Amino acid sequence: MIKFVLMVNRQGQTRLSRYYQPVELGKRAALEADVVRGCLYRKKEECSFVEYKDFKLVYRHYASLYIVVGITESENELSVYELVHNFVEVLDKYFSRVVSPIMFNMDKVHIILDEMIQNGHVVETNHSRILAPLSALDTLAHS
Amino acid sequence: MALKIVKGSIDRMFDKNLQDLVRGIRNHKEDEAKYISTCIDEIKQELKQDNIAVKANAVCKLTYLQMLGYDVSWAAFNIVEVMSSSKFTYKRIGYLAASQCFHESTDVIMLTTNQIRKDLSSPNQYDTGVALTGLSCFVTPDLARDLANDIMTLMSHTKPYIRKKAVLIMYKVFLKYPESLRPAFPRLKEKLEDPDPGVQSAAVNVICELARRNPKNYLSLAPLFFKLMTSSTNNWVLIKIIKLFGALTPLEPRLGKKLIEPLTNLIHSTSAMSLLYECVNTVIAVLISLSSGMPNHSASIQLCVQKLRILIEDSDQNLKYLGLLAMSKILKTHPKSVQSHKDLILQCLDDKDESIRLRALDLLYGMVSKKNLMEIVKKLMLHVDKAEGTTYRDELLTKIIDICSQSNYQYITNFEWYISILVELTRLEGTRHGHLIASQMLDVAIRVKAIREFAVAQMATLLDNAHLLTGNTQRNGICEVLYAAAWICGEFSEHLENPMQTLEAMLRPKVATLPGHIQAVYVQNAAKLFATVLRSQEGNTDRTAAQETSQLMIDRLPLFVQSANLEVQERASCILQLVKYIQKLQQKDVEVAEEVNALFAGELNPVAPKAQKKVPVPEGLDLDAWINEPPSESESEDEKPRTMFTREETKHSRPRHTEVDEKELAKRREVRKQEQASNPFYIKSSPSSQKVYQEAPGVDHIPVVQIDLSVPLKVPGLPMSDQYVKLEEERRQKDRADKKKKEKKKRKEKGGRRGKRDSGPESEEDITPAHMVDIVTEEMPENALPSDDDDKDPNDPHKALDIDLDRPLADSEKLPVRSHRSSEALKTMAEEVEVVAPQEAKKKGGKEKKEKKKDKEKDRKKSKEEKKKKKHKHDEGEEDLMGGQTEEPMVQSETTNDVVAPPPTTTAEVSDLDFWLSNAPVPSNSQEVAVTAVTAPAAAAAAAAAGVPPAASGSAPDSEPDEPKDAEVDESKSSKHKKKKQKKEKEEKDKKKKKKHHHHRHHSDGAGEESVQNGTVEEEEEPLPPMSNYCLLAENSYIKMMMEDADTVCDIQGNLQDGSQVVVSLIFENKCDSFLKAMEFNVLDSLNSRLQRPDGAGPHDGLTVPFQLPPGVSNEARFVFTVKSIVMPQKLKGTLAFIVKNEDSSTHEKLDFKLHFTCTSYLITTPCYSDAFAKLLESGDLKASSVKLEGVVMPFPHLLARICFHHHFSVVERIDSCASMYSRSIQGHHVCLLVKTADQTVSIDAKCDEPSLLSNVLDEIKLTFSQC
């Protein structure tokens, strides 16, 4: 299952974090820093899976944004790798440009993420179904 | 009011929103902390306002700050406030914050239970969705317990959006509240076949996650998953299922056999790499599970390896990585197939990506052979030189040592080469693994006797050049090597060419900078060297040399005597005094060398790491008992420091050197030897324990190649191992040449006969070790136990979920439904019930486990018969327990003629699985079996009661064609079985008693005849037996229907609003071994009651049951009835039509039943407070009625519990033997009871606003107790 999803910028600052297994607040920052360091320093030609302690990291790099997913041994690395891309595609569809809007719309990104992953498992991969609650919310806000 | 709102919105305009906060933090890079603290102050102000919009905005900002690492737990209550907002826009912000900030110890979570429950039942699907998502993040055991039932209801919600979320969150609920697993599991299983693929995928996810931890409990689901796997096109789902099969196959090799074909098909057909990868992984798992005793599936392995090669050759690094990862799994069982791809893997060692190189290294471990070891290690050594990061270099180092030392140095043909590799490795700067190298040096030097001379020479050079190792950094891990070097030189000093030089090297002042434990070894071994030097020097005529050596010791040792390290200090001062004494003797011209050498006589043998642990404590030895009386306090204090040192000393198991005269020493030595001789735990060198390392036939005649050692040894730090590689090549060529010559000779001798051996490529056996090498195996005590116990982590939350899911649900296991119990008395009652039920369940569980185990035995026939016996015994036992009950129910045996058998137990399910796994075509005689099954339901029932489910007799002839013996046995068995059946029919009456008892255990009571038994049992057993509202509705040989007594589970709120709905839960259970599908449920409506049908359906149309039943499976469906008047009980006739699908035929069948709606079923347990109760009675609207029950022998609390349970009353107040009770009908009629008891007589005074309802309810109560 998926342990956490992180979105970080090139400087290693966390833009979004979601934990599916409880991690103490105090330890989160250290973990994030450590995890991000493990991914940021990897070169482009290196593979996207990193063994980290007792679990694995799957990361993808989009412009100045890194998305890092922590998974347990039982998860299929490639499917998570695709999931990340799917997530970014959905973000792209909803926000026209991914990078800066997500900083200001963290809550909406969370809604998207929650539609896709729930307690560490993939629930939905269909773009329009993922965005349905969000568009319902937007129509609610406009009316 | 309006003004306030306007004011609020103006305020909001000045508030920062999330965007402002993010921008603000960005603009205050220098004083971020300060800026944030002012922001937090603002947020605190905002939270104090009444406006929910402001609060939500503040909470939203807090969520962001929390993500940045700020503690916002102080705002937990505000988060709850925002969560409970009625507007979805705010609510979701609240839930988001909660899901990010709350954890198990957040105390306000307690407050959220009702709010969450409200949101879960909200008509807005997004409210429910957001609550479910939030809950999945912060669910606590309490929340899980309280909400489990609500979430379970949501699993059957009409909207797939809710269903899938509810299904997924159940996993978290199970983890926090394991008791919920069994009640919820049937529904979860049902969701595997949900029409919505999302829900299906969610259910697969949850079950896979559960099954991965406790696979054995989910084995019976394999057929269902197999069907899903072959039908699903969703890759996400497929991946999960295939992963699950990977976890299941080790438990059931036959499953693996069945899987191979569809998996290989998928491997061939799929274009999705992730799916391909998963398939390959599972095929590997299958092959691993099959590898023992099954025919080789070399084609499948080849396919996997081929596909993996394609992955590894791909330019995509990710695929390359995964390919190598999967390859390493194959390596464990099929090393040969991987070895053929050595080229590719060696190529990966040069990859730019470190993680790929590491994976390739893992693979190398399994790929070495005697032939290629040197070559591979040479390549690795090159990498060591090139490596940039220390971590990778360290990894390489450990891998080299791992590869070389694996399985007792199996692949090393030349130990000189290995020693030089180790010496070369010491040149690595800053490695953490000095210790590892050192232990390897020690191990090789001790265990390979032939190498000692060479090793000692190498170590001497190392010691001579110690400054190179310790050179730069003080805390350099590599200096550990000196520990080994010093010890080897000392212990095997007889092999030293120039011991004097080494002795001097060991006593250099610089040694004092080494870590303490190394210095200690230096000092100790200097003494050994000293002894050796003395011996050689005393042989000479010139005595001065020996005296000079002593003087050297006396000069240098004081340096160590001053050491801060106690160990060094003590050893040094002992040895110093000893040497001084020796010097004295030398001055008197006494020969001392022999005596000094005797100090270090004897050989050390290697001991296996866990040898001591594995010695069992001999019988009669109590290690805790005092051998002597404990000494007084003061004495023990004196002893303490001594034990501290002896502990250190045992490390080298050397006698301590104290200043005693030689005689004393000799005497002590004698004593020690004797002691050792009689001590069973002292490990002596015995020839039997030494494995001689020369399996290759005909090694003896091969001459050992002399290697010129003088060249490389003097120059440390030069790569020398390469030369061994060349030498080895030459040697092998020479060997080959020799062999060829011999073969030629042979050929000549034998004339035209062709030589059998192909002298082309070398085979493994052809490579002979360069040295005659004895590898001394590690010694183990004679009676060592082979056990290696590794305990599972007791803290694993999944341990609690190791629950047998096939066992029928006990009543006590039902999920807690929201209801109020107003009386203490009732609570204790309920507890009692709960205490009893699990005990019974446990008993049963134990038995089932035994049976399960049996099933696994290959000899099926035996196990079945044994089972029968068992069951018989078991039944007899039960009968004894029943005692006096045997006489009365004779009458019932007629009424229950078609009440057949308990639901199939695990044995039945397991045999169904057996049936599924043996996928042979159905033999012709299956029809016969089917006929007997149809025509003789009673016999089948009897068989079932005797523990052989009808399915088993059906499956017997179906065993696989490749097990002909088994089949024969089974056939003869089935005929036997028939004979038995006849016998059984004779004994039918007898059986029925047993049968009924079974019945009672699973779903007793509710219907009249069952409760009789309850009563009789109760007379004997004080605690209340488990009660259930499920009663048998109808049954034939295919299916059994059980009805739950109407509204105990119906949605209370809905009914109160509606006032005319009754929900009937029916359990359908497939009893035959065919698939049941297209089940249609229909009821003949009466004027008063009608089945609720979907819009557009005619009044006589049946309802399709929303599931199919594989063999042995049961499932629950609910039907809603509309009732106009509830004052009278009524009966409805109905039929269930279904299709029985065999492998080659399908038949329509139907089953008639009668639904009985009692007036009781219209009552809903409703709590009532005593003051409200009193008011109700005083109001005068109620009509009174009363009834008297005679001869009720039952404790009063039991009586009350019975009324509460069967007739849905709640206790308002209880005083001694008098209690007031209350219930309410679905149409809002109040029913009040006053129950009094005296001398077996119970009088019930009742009041209700509807007299006919009341009289009917009282009649029903009377009926319940009249049967007691």
Side-chain angles (χ1 to χ4, degrees):
Chain A
M1 61 179 282
I2 297 168
K3 285 166 103 87
F4 58 79
V5 176
L6 287 181
M7 292 172 88
V8 276
N9 65 9
R10 207 194 284 277
Q11 288 78 44
Q13 290 166 312
T14 309
R15 288 275 161 253
L16 179 129
S17 66
R18 187 74 157 147
Y19 290 84
Y20 300 99
Q21 277 182 348
V23 176
E24 273 176 51
L25 185 64
K27 288 178 183 163
R28 285 187 188 187
L31 176 79
E32 281 166 24
D34 210 22
V35 159
V36 167
R37 208 175 306 126
C39 298
L40 287 190
Y41 288 125
R42 290 177 70 85
K43 291 176 211 116
K44 230 179 177 170
E45 65 267 22
E46 296 185 56
C47 76
S48 307
F49 313 129
V50 185
E51 280 157 61
Y52 178 82
K53 292 187 182 162
D54 58 337
F55 56 96
K56 272 188 184 166
L57 306 173
V58 175
Y59 72 94
R60 269 188 116 136
H61 179 196
Y62 295 92
S64 66
L65 187 72
Y66 280 82
I67 297 178
V68 187
V69 186
I71 56 169
T72 58
E73 280 292 318
S74 68
E75 198 66 39
N76 184 308
E77 293 90 343
L78 275 179
S79 68
V80 173
Y81 188 68
E82 290 307 315
L83 179 75
V84 172
H85 189 66
N86 196 15
F87 176 49
V88 173
E89 276 174 358
V90 177
L91 290 180
D92 218 24
K93 196 170 169 183
Y94 186 75
F95 307 105
S96 44
R97 259 179 63 240
V98 173
V99 184
S100 74
I102 67 147
M103 282 182 60
F104 302 119
N105 293 294
M106 186 197 69
D107 50 337
K108 289 187 174 167
V109 180
H110 265 295
I111 293 180
I112 293 176
L113 191 60
D114 286 347
E115 285 307 312
M116 295 183 69
I117 305 171
Q118 193 185 350
N119 70 33
H121 296 290
V122 181
V123 252
E124 190 58 77
T125 48
N126 179 306
H127 291 192
S128 51
R129 259 181 283 173
I130 291 168
L131 290 176
L134 208 53
S135 35
L137 189 73
D138 287 342
T139 48
L140 206 73
H142 285 300
S143 61
Chain B
M1 182 69 187
L3 193 70
K4 208 176 171 187
I5 293 171
V6 172
K7 191 170 169 283
S9 58
I10 290 172
D11 276 348
R12 277 189 63 197
M13 285 168 66
F14 295 105
D15 288 340
K16 283 196 195 80
N17 61 14
L18 179 63
Q19 270 94 326
D20 300 327
L21 179 75
V22 175
R23 260 192 215 108
I25 293 175
R26 212 191 235 179
N27 295 336
H28 289 78
K29 281 220 169 90
E30 321 75 54
D31 51 348
E32 196 183 288
K34 198 178 151 205
Y35 178 76
I36 288 177
S37 74
T38 56
C39 284
I40 288 181
D41 286 341
E42 282 170 24
I43 289 170
K44 279 183 179 161
Q45 287 305 317
E46 286 165 30
L47 288 175
K48 279 180 191 152
Q49 293 186 36
D50 282 337
N51 191 328
I52 190 73
V54 177
K55 269 186 191 168
N57 183 42
V59 166
C60 187
K61 286 189 279 183
L62 279 179
T63 314
Y64 183 78
L65 293 178
Q66 197 265 356
M67 191 196 74
L68 294 183
Y70 291 86
D71 181 26
V72 298
S73 54
W74 48 268
F77 185 75
N78 303 104
I79 293 174
V80 175
E81 278 182 311
V82 177
M83 271 165 80
S84 46
S85 157
S86 57
K87 274 186 99 175
F88 177 66
T89 340
Y90 303 139
K91 186 187 288 294
R92 73 171 178 89
I93 291 175
Y95 270 103
L96 174 62
S99 65
Q100 291 283 71
C101 311
F102 287 4
H103 44 87
E104 272 200 18
S105 50
T106 307
D107 41 8
V108 291
I109 285 190
M110 290 187 308
L111 306 175
T112 59
T113 315
N114 277 316
Q115 178 58 41
I116 294 172
R117 181 174 282 139
K118 212 175 111 195
D119 289 335
L120 288 181
S121 55
S122 159
N124 181 351
Q125 62 166 336
Y126 295 122
D127 279 354
T128 316
V130 85
L132 283 173
T133 312
L135 196 56
S136 76
C137 291
F138 57 78
V139 63
T140 62
D142 286 342
L143 275 180
R145 192 194 55 232
D146 295 340
L147 296 174
N149 200 52
D150 302 66
I151 299 169
M152 211 169 108
T153 322
L154 289 179
M155 280 165 75
S156 317
H157 200 272
T158 49
K159 296 213 167 76
Y161 177 76
I162 302 295
R163 283 210 299 274
K164 71 179 179 198
K165 289 199 168 213
V167 167
L168 265 182
I169 199 191
M170 273 324 265
Y171 177 64
K172 276 277 163 77
V173 173
F174 295 152
L175 279 184
K176 301 286 177 189
Y177 179 56
E179 289 87 340
S180 62
L181 178 58
R182 283 178 28 81
F185 194 70
R187 195 168 293 182
L188 182 61
K189 206 158 99 180
E190 190 182 300
K191 294 297 146 205
L192 284 176
E193 295 184 283
D194 196 281
D196 184 85
V199 182
Q200 207 181 39
S201 147
V204 168
N205 267 323
V206 172
I207 293 184
C208 286
E209 200 66 26
L210 289 170
R212 211 168 48 77
R213 313 296 181 124
N214 300 302
K216 66 176 186 325
N217 298 338
Y218 299 85
L219 210 51
S220 59
L221 287 184
L224 193 55
F225 275 114
F226 191 82
K227 203 184 104 202
L228 279 179
M229 183 179 83
T230 41
S231 60
S232 177
T233 50
N234 180 343
N235 282 351
W236 298 92
V237 172
L238 278 175
I239 287 174
K240 286 283 171 187
I241 294 176
I242 290 168
K243 200 154 231 154
L244 172 71
F245 276 130
L248 290 182
T249 42
L251 300 171
E252 181 53 273
R254 282 179 296 170
L255 177 61
K257 231 166 143 189
K258 210 175 161 87
L259 282 173
I260 287 279
E261 198 200 326
L263 285 181
T264 38
N265 287 347
L266 267 178
I267 291 178
H268 280 300
S269 63
T270 186
S271 58
M273 280 302 180
S274 48
L275 183 58
L276 173 79
Y277 174 64
E278 206 55 61
C279 286
V280 169
N281 261 332
T282 299
V283 168
I284 294 168
V286 167
L287 293 176
I288 290 172
S289 75
L290 287 182
S291 62
S292 51
M294 287 284 191
N296 255 336
H297 291 263
S298 51
S300 315
I301 302 168
Q302 280 315 313
L303 178 68
C304 288
V305 176
Q306 261 172 32
K307 286 285 174 184
L308 289 181
R309 189 177 171 108
I310 294 172
L311 289 189
I312 297 172
E313 280 172 339
D314 201 288
S315 59
D316 185 341
Q317 297 287 70
N318 295 331
L319 296 183
K320 192 172 278 201
Y321 171 86
L322 292 177
L324 290 168
L325 200 63
M327 201 69 120
S328 65
K329 287 176 193 157
I330 300 186
L331 187 70
K332 280 172 206 147
T333 48
H334 302 89
K336 284 254 164 69
S337 1
V338 182
Q339 269 163 13
S340 54
H341 299 281
K342 199 184 84 187
D343 55 320
L344 189 63
I345 288 155
L346 283 174
Q347 227 176 328
C348 290
L349 276 184
D350 296 320
D351 201 277
K352 288 161 277 182
D353 186 351
E354 188 178 305
S355 31
I356 287 176
R357 290 197 302 259
L358 287 175
R359 289 282 75 80
L361 271 181
D362 281 348
L363 278 172
L364 275 184
Y365 178 83
M367 299 185 57
V368 289
S369 62
K370 283 180 189 165
K371 197 166 75 180
N372 62 19
L373 176 74
M374 284 184 162
E375 178 199 333
I376 288 178
V377 172
K378 182 182 167 189
K379 195 150 180 173
L380 292 181
M381 291 299 281
L382 282 178
H383 280 283
V384 172
D385 285 340
K386 282 191 292 185
E388 290 152 13
T390 46
T391 38
Y392 178 59
R393 209 176 50 180
D394 280 359
E395 189 63 31
L396 273 169
L397 191 153
T398 46
K399 267 284 133 41
I400 290 175
I401 290 180
D402 275 357
I403 287 172
C404 293
S405 63
Q406 66 174 309
S407 38
N408 228 350
Y409 308 103
Q410 188 190 346
Y411 299 115
I412 294 183
T413 49
N414 187 335
F415 277 93
E416 288 187 7
W417 163 81
Y418 185 44
I419 293 276
S420 17
I421 288 284
L422 290 176
V423 172
E424 272 173 50
L425 287 176
T426 61
R427 286 181 296 118
L428 284 186
E429 265 174 49
T431 179
R432 289 178 292 115
H433 295 297
H435 186 73
L436 192 63
I437 302 175
S439 67
Q440 279 293 299
M441 287 174 168
L442 286 171
D443 199 42
V444 172
I446 294 169
R447 295 175 58 192
V448 187
K449 282 185 178 159
I451 203 64
R452 282 182 193 162
E453 192 176 344
F454 178 77
V456 165
Q458 290 283 311
M459 295 305 123
T461 358
L462 266 186
L463 285 179
D464 235 7
N465 298 286
H467 57 279
L468 292 177
L469 296 180
T470 51
N472 308 326
T473 40
Q474 181 66 46
R475 296 195 100 355
N476 194 335
I478 204 68
C479 65
E480 284 291 330
V481 171
L482 293 175
Y483 176 101
W487 191 86
I488 292 170
C489 284
E491 185 64 28
F492 307 117
S493 49
E494 67 270 20
H495 298 298
L496 270 178
E497 232 167 73
N498 191 350
M500 192 59 204
Q501 186 189 352
T502 312
L503 181 61
E504 268 177 51
M506 280 166 77
L507 293 172
R508 276 181 206 144
K510 215 167 175 214
V511 173
T513 58
L514 290 171
H517 64 284
I518 299 180
Q519 282 186 54
V521 171
Y522 263 70
V523 172
Q524 183 71 21
N525 286 286
K528 293 184 203 166
L529 272 178
F530 172 63
T532 319
V533 173
L534 270 191
R535 194 212 297 261
S536 62
Q537 287 174 338
E538 269 183 4
N540 300 344
T541 42
D542 189 10
R543 290 286 164 86
T544 49
Q547 285 186 16
E548 269 168 27
T549 319
S550 305
Q551 192 54 47
L552 176 79
M553 292 289 279
I554 290 167
D555 289 345
R556 297 283 173 84
L557 278 175
L559 177 70
F560 299 103
V561 175
Q562 291 157 12
S563 168
N565 187 302
L566 269 181
E567 176 78 12
V568 181
Q569 200 187 66
E570 201 204 8
R571 283 172 191 245
S573 44
C574 278
I575 292 166
L576 182 61
Q577 292 311 315
L578 186 71
V579 176
K580 278 183 183 162
Y581 182 76
I582 290 167
Q583 198 184 30
K584 241 187 249 171
L585 290 176
Q586 278 175 335
Q587 281 158 0
K588 290 179 195 160
D589 271 356
V590 184
E591 296 228 337
V592 287
E594 279 310 310
E595 312 260 354
V596 178
N597 269 298
L599 279 176
F600 306 107
E603 179 136 332
L604 290 175
N605 285 318
V607 178
K610 285 177 188 165
Q612 184 64 52
K613 205 174 120 193
K614 293 193 173 180
V615 179
V617 178
E619 251 178 82
L621 176 65
D622 180 7
L623 288 174
D624 295 328
W626 289 106
I627 299 170
N628 298 309
E629 278 306 299
S632 66
E633 289 279 304
S634 57
E635 269 178 321
S636 66
E637 260 173 47
D638 285 346
E639 262 171 343
K640 261 183 194 163
R642 232 204 292 163
T643 52
M644 224 166 82
F645 290 116
T646 45
R647 194 178 57 85
E648 292 280 65
E649 206 184 43
T650 48
K651 223 175 176 176
H652 300 282
S653 56
R654 285 275 162 197
R656 279 156 51 91
H657 312 292
T658 41
E659 255 193 306
V660 279
D661 62 316
E662 300 288 9
K663 268 185 189 171
E664 178 66 24
L665 267 179
K667 208 171 133 194
R668 280 190 193 175
R669 205 157 38 235
E670 225 15 71
V671 170
R672 189 165 57 97
K673 269 185 186 162
Q674 271 175 4
E675 228 175 74
Q676 284 168 1
S678 57
N679 185 353
F681 299 123
Y682 182 81
I683 297 151
K684 287 158 289 209
S685 59
S686 61
S688 63
S689 65
Q690 298 184 353
K691 199 176 102 194
V692 178
Y693 185 75
Q694 36 168 293
E695 288 114 8
V699 175
D700 299 45
H701 60 270
I702 297 166
V704 174
V705 179
Q706 290 301 312
I707 298 168
D708 189 6
L709 298 178
S710 59
V711 189
L713 287 189
K714 298 296 171 190
V715 196
L718 258 186
M720 323 170 287
S721 56
D722 287 356
Q723 288 166 344
Y724 286 100
V725 180
K726 276 179 210 150
L727 281 171
E728 184 71 16
E729 284 295 304
E730 283 166 22
R731 188 178 70 84
R732 284 183 194 172
Q733 266 174 5
K734 207 176 154 195
D735 280 357
R736 244 174 283 162
D738 282 354
K739 249 175 222 159
K740 267 185 193 168
K741 265 182 210 165
K742 270 176 202 164
E743 269 173 39
K744 266 180 197 167
K745 268 183 200 168
K746 270 185 198 167
R747 261 182 233 172
K748 272 176 196 168
E749 281 162 18
K750 296 200 174 177
R753 218 174 166 190
R754 269 175 58 209
K756 272 182 194 169
R757 212 188 278 177
D758 182 19
S759 52
E762 285 176 288
S763 64
E764 279 285 284
E765 289 82 55
D766 287 345
I767 300 164
T768 51
H771 295 251
M772 293 300 209
V773 176
D774 275 351
I775 297 185
V776 183
T777 47
E778 289 168 331
E779 289 190 4
M780 278 294 238
E782 278 163 30
N783 45 355
L785 300 170
S787 65
D788 233 346
D789 41 351
D790 48 325
D791 286 331
K792 276 185 183 175
D793 181 13
N795 297 326
D796 186 4
H798 293 89
K799 238 186 165 180
L801 288 181
D802 189 359
I803 296 169
D804 182 4
L805 294 165
D806 298 326
R807 189 157 45 92
L809 261 189
D811 198 53
S812 58
E813 285 181 303
K814 270 197 188 159
L815 286 181
V817 185
R818 198 175 8 145
S819 65
H820 301 275
R821 301 273 161 99
S822 49
S823 159
E824 274 302 306
L826 195 65
K827 253 185 206 168
T828 53
M829 283 305 310
E831 273 161 28
E832 260 179 77
V833 172
E834 268 171 14
V835 170
V836 181
Q839 274 174 350
E840 253 188 68
K842 250 185 230 166
K843 261 194 240 162
K844 193 153 181 299
K847 262 165 210 154
E848 275 167 4
K849 258 180 211 164
K850 272 181 208 161
E851 279 158 22
K852 248 190 181 173
K853 266 184 201 165
K854 288 244 168 68
D855 256 292
K856 279 179 191 163
E857 281 172 27
K858 290 214 167 167
D859 196 342
R860 277 213 240 144
K861 186 191 156 197
K862 252 190 193 171
S863 74
K864 265 182 198 163
E865 274 173 0
E866 264 176 1
K867 241 185 285 162
K868 260 187 228 166
K869 279 181 205 160
K870 253 231 153 98
K871 203 76 178 203
H872 269 299
K873 262 187 204 165
H874 162 199
D875 282 346
E876 276 158 22
E878 296 284 340
E879 208 174 12
D880 287 346
L881 270 179
M882 300 283 289
Q885 186 245 350
T886 38
E887 278 188 281
E888 239 184 306
M890 290 301 257
V891 196
Q892 291 154 24
S893 64
E894 270 163 354
T895 56
T896 57
N897 232 341
D898 50 358
V899 176
V900 189
T905 49
T906 356
T907 41
E909 285 209 18
V910 172
S911 63
D912 284 338
L913 185 65
D914 281 349
F915 174 68
W916 176 75
L917 286 167
S918 55
N919 51 348
V922 184
S924 55
N925 60 346
S926 71
Q927 259 184 336
E928 194 189 358
V929 176
V931 171
T932 53
V934 175
T935 52
V948 183
S953 65
S955 72
D958 291 352
S959 35
E960 291 184 43
D962 57 9
E963 296 171 62
K965 278 181 197 165
D966 249 16
E968 266 176 33
V969 170
D970 280 345
E971 246 165 317
S972 65
K973 215 215 105 207
S974 69
S975 64
K976 259 188 217 165
H977 186 70
K978 264 179 233 159
K979 277 178 204 163
K980 269 184 191 165
K981 264 186 207 164
Q982 289 166 357
K983 259 191 201 170
K984 263 166 208 151
E985 268 165 323
K986 281 178 198 164
E987 299 166 344
E988 209 170 5
K989 274 185 190 172
D990 199 29
K991 285 274 154 58
K992 276 203 178 115
K993 284 167 216 157
K994 294 170 191 173
K995 200 171 44 191
K996 246 170 274 140
H997 186 73
H998 259 291
H999 205 74
H1000 150 70
R1001 275 183 32 238
H1002 296 302
H1003 43 88
S1004 59
D1005 227 287
E1009 66 259 16
E1010 309 298 325
S1011 57
V1012 177
Q1013 288 188 348
N1014 261 337
T1016 50
V1017 170
E1018 233 168 279
E1019 279 170 37
E1020 289 174 13
E1021 295 171 356
E1022 188 50 32
L1024 200 69
M1027 296 187 281
S1028 159
N1029 274 327
Y1030 279 97
C1031 63
L1032 189 77
L1033 190 61
E1035 177 183 51
N1036 64 11
S1037 56
Y1038 295 112
I1039 192 162
K1040 180 157 83 185
M1041 288 167 75
M1042 294 206 290
M1043 181 179 79
E1044 191 182 20
D1045 199 4
D1047 62 18
T1048 44
V1049 281
C1050 71
D1051 192 329
I1052 297 166
Q1053 283 176 331
N1055 279 340
L1056 282 180
Q1057 284 161 7
D1058 210 317
S1060 59
Q1061 275 190 2
V1062 175
V1063 179
V1064 177
S1065 297
L1066 288 171
I1067 294 177
F1068 297 90
E1069 184 173 305
N1070 185 351
K1071 287 174 41 192
C1072 61
D1073 48 3
S1074 313
F1075 212 84
L1076 298 187
K1077 52 191 250 181
M1079 284 189 280
E1080 211 173 71
F1081 174 89
N1082 202 359
V1083 168
L1084 216 60
D1085 291 349
S1086 70
L1087 278 177
N1088 189 28
S1089 332
R1090 63 183 64 220
L1091 177 64
Q1092 270 199 354
R1093 296 178 168 87
D1095 298 335
H1100 304 295
D1101 292 351
L1103 282 182
T1104 313
V1105 180
F1107 48 77
Q1108 303 181 338
L1109 287 178
V1113 170
S1114 64
N1115 209 337
E1116 186 176 340
R1118 294 177 178 201
F1119 300 95
V1120 182
F1121 288 82
T1122 322
V1123 184
K1124 276 188 189 150
S1125 159
I1126 60 160
V1127 297
M1128 296 284 280
Q1130 48 192 311
K1131 283 180 180 169
L1132 290 181
K1133 274 188 182 174
T1135 36
L1136 180 78
F1138 53 92
I1139 296 174
V1140 182
K1141 177 123 177 68
N1142 272 324
E1143 275 182 43
D1144 47 9
S1145 70
S1146 58
T1147 47
H1148 285 270
E1149 295 286 341
K1150 69 178 203 176
L1151 176 66
D1152 293 329
F1153 58 87
K1154 265 185 192 169
L1155 283 175
H1156 187 66
F1157 290 109
T1158 56
C1159 283
T1160 291
S1161 48
Y1162 303 129
L1163 297 183
I1164 302 164
T1165 316
T1166 318
C1168 183
Y1169 294 106
S1170 51
D1171 45 348
F1173 189 74
K1175 261 185 204 163
L1176 203 62
L1177 289 178
E1178 282 164 12
S1179 67
D1181 301 335
L1182 306 181
K1183 317 267 182 317
S1185 177
S1186 70
V1187 68
K1188 260 202 172 116
L1189 309 171
E1190 301 281 347
V1192 178
V1193 191
M1194 174 185 308
F1196 191 56
H1198 284 203
L1199 181 104
L1200 291 185
R1202 204 161 270 276
I1203 297 177
C1204 288
F1205 189 79
H1206 294 302
H1207 301 284
H1208 314 155
F1209 278 87
S1210 64
V1211 178
V1212 179
E1213 208 169 11
R1214 181 191 155 197
I1215 302 152
D1216 298 330
S1217 59
C1218 182
S1220 50
M1221 304 177 92
Y1222 175 79
S1223 184
R1224 215 173 134 185
S1225 78
I1226 51 174
Q1227 289 177 354
H1229 305 290
H1230 304 281
V1231 185
C1232 308
L1233 299 182
L1234 186 67
V1235 185
K1236 280 181 264 182
T1237 181
D1239 301 336
Q1240 303 198 354
T1241 309
V1242 181
S1243 65
I1244 302 176
D1245 295 311
K1247 280 190 174 181
C1248 176
D1249 41 10
E1250 177 54 64
S1252 54
L1253 174 71
L1254 182 63
S1255 67
N1256 281 320
V1257 168
L1258 287 180
D1259 284 349
E1260 282 159 20
I1261 294 177
K1262 206 170 166 180
L1263 189 72
T1264 310
F1265 286 99
S1266 70
Q1267 286 157 343
C1268 294

